[in-house]
Amino acid sequence: MIEITPAIALDESEIVERFIRAAGPGGQNVNKVSTAVELRFDVRRSRALPNDVAIRLMKLAGRRLTQEGVLVLVAMTHRTQERNRADALDRLVELIRKAAEPPPAPRKKTKPTLASKTRRLDTKVRRGGIKAARGRVRGDD
């Protein structure tokens, strides 16, 4: 069991890992060793996540979520499988923790104060004066 929050714990059987070859430079090691990790987590079918957390997680996942509701994370920054595996798992846990946070309270609408309205109008008048002074110079004679 992987503990996310005191209320949420994931079963390791819900996470599917596949090792693939990493892309990019790296010489012979990259060409012969599968060090990159593709981690898959089915958000829709997970029994560990409450419904509201799963919905927020699907919104947070963005392009990393397939149409079937599977979250796919690929980690290939490190040279070893173990570090890539830990990196992918840490990213998954962090995403779920962020989704488990309650949404912020809605913003209360307020009206601008009289002082802020006055400041705004004063700066508009000042700016208009600067722009008016840019015109052609007129001779008084």
Side-chain angles (χ1 to χ4, degrees), residues 52-134:
D52 58 334
V53 174
I55 291 168
R56 283 197 296 267
L57 179 60
M58 286 192 271
K59 286 180 184 174
L60 276 174
R63 292 177 54 189
R64 295 173 287 195
L65 192 76
T66 64
Q67 289 196 348
E68 294 82 33
V70 177
L71 177 66
V72 180
L73 296 173
V74 179
M76 62 173 81
T77 54
H78 303 289
R79 289 180 56 93
T80 62
Q81 268 187 5
E82 294 81 28
R83 288 183 68 189
N84 281 330
R85 214 172 147 197
D87 181 38
L89 198 59
D90 289 344
R91 285 171 31 205
L92 174 67
V93 168
E94 195 58 40
L95 262 174
I96 296 174
R97 277 193 185 131
K98 193 179 278 189
E101 293 173 0
R107 180 185 167 276
K108 291 180 183 175
K109 294 181 181 178
T110 58
K111 292 183 179 179
T113 62
L114 181 63
S116 68
K117 286 181 186 177
T118 309
R119 277 194 307 270
R120 187 179 126 268
L121 293 175
D122 287 345
T123 57
K124 284 172 72 77
V125 168
R126 201 174 310 123
R127 186 76 184 148
I130 291 170
K131 289 187 173 189
R134 290 185 190 152

